[in-house]
Amino acid sequence: MAVTIRKMLACDADALCRLLSNPEVMRYLEAPYDRLQAEEFLRHAGLADPPLVYAAEEDGSFIGYVIYHPYDENSMEIGWVLFPEYWGRGYASALTDLLTRKAAQMQMDTVIECVPEQVATSRIALKKGFLYGGICNGLAVYRLAH
């Protein structure tokens, strides 16, 4: 598995639309997006400076995106949204490792937020040494100190 992250490009719009319009993918996030919502997300989150999200790839193929942006003055928020065919195969775990290393290099802690029902994300956070910090604004918060 050679998973990498890169800045999003305008040409990612089609793949991002397929991802964000998938009800299974969006189950714990929000209602599935239409094309205009996906394009707006790309502009405001993926093409922002600095970006809030980055494309995740395996061997040059778009497999989803990762969340990587400041959470507070001492922490970076991380996360991942992947096509279902990449679920349960170690991709989220590998991306978590990559992003936590990146934050640690910046002397930053790492935070993962998810709805409490999102058991797979909670499981990965705990497996990677994140500590459960409770519920904030309806989301379970997990924190890893560098």
Side-chain angles (χ1 to χ4, degrees):
M1 173 185 327
V3 64
T4 58
I5 62 170
R6 62 161 173 79
K7 286 188 173 181
M8 286 204 172
L9 306 169
C11 63
D12 291 322
D14 288 342
L16 189 62
C17 184
R18 281 194 315 278
L19 180 71
L20 296 176
S21 66
N22 183 321
E24 191 176 9
V25 169
M26 299 300 281
R27 178 178 178 193
Y28 297 114
L29 301 173
E30 42 189 306
Y33 284 19
D34 62 23
R35 178 70 186 207
L36 288 176
Q37 289 171 304
E39 288 175 353
E40 185 163 322
F41 177 81
L42 176 60
R43 273 193 308 279
H44 288 93
L47 301 177
D49 186 25
L52 304 174
V53 299
Y54 295 80
E57 292 185 327
E58 182 184 41
D59 299 326
S61 294
F62 184 95
I63 65 168
Y65 69 85
V66 296
I67 297 157
Y68 186 79
H69 60 78
Y71 181 79
D72 59 31
E73 63 185 36
N74 300 313
S75 308
M76 298 298 286
E77 180 178 359
I78 69 166
W80 53 90
V81 178
L82 304 173
F83 283 111
E85 57 265 32
Y86 297 96
W87 297 356
R89 297 179 49 206
Y91 289 90
S93 183
L95 289 164
T96 300
D97 291 343
L98 194 152
L99 295 170
T100 55
R101 279 194 306 270
K102 184 176 173 102
Q105 289 170 351
M106 297 172 50
Q107 303 283 315
M108 300 289 278
D109 293 343
T110 314
V111 171
I112 295 174
E113 284 188 330
C114 63
V115 297
E117 300 80 18
Q118 203 170 3
V119 177
T121 298
S122 299
R123 195 174 308 130
I124 290 169
L126 294 172
K127 177 182 160 193
K128 297 295 181 178
F130 284 71
L131 300 177
Y132 176 68
I135 303 290
C136 181
N137 297 324
L139 298 174
V141 179
Y142 298 87
R143 185 176 290 274
L144 180 69
H146 67 272

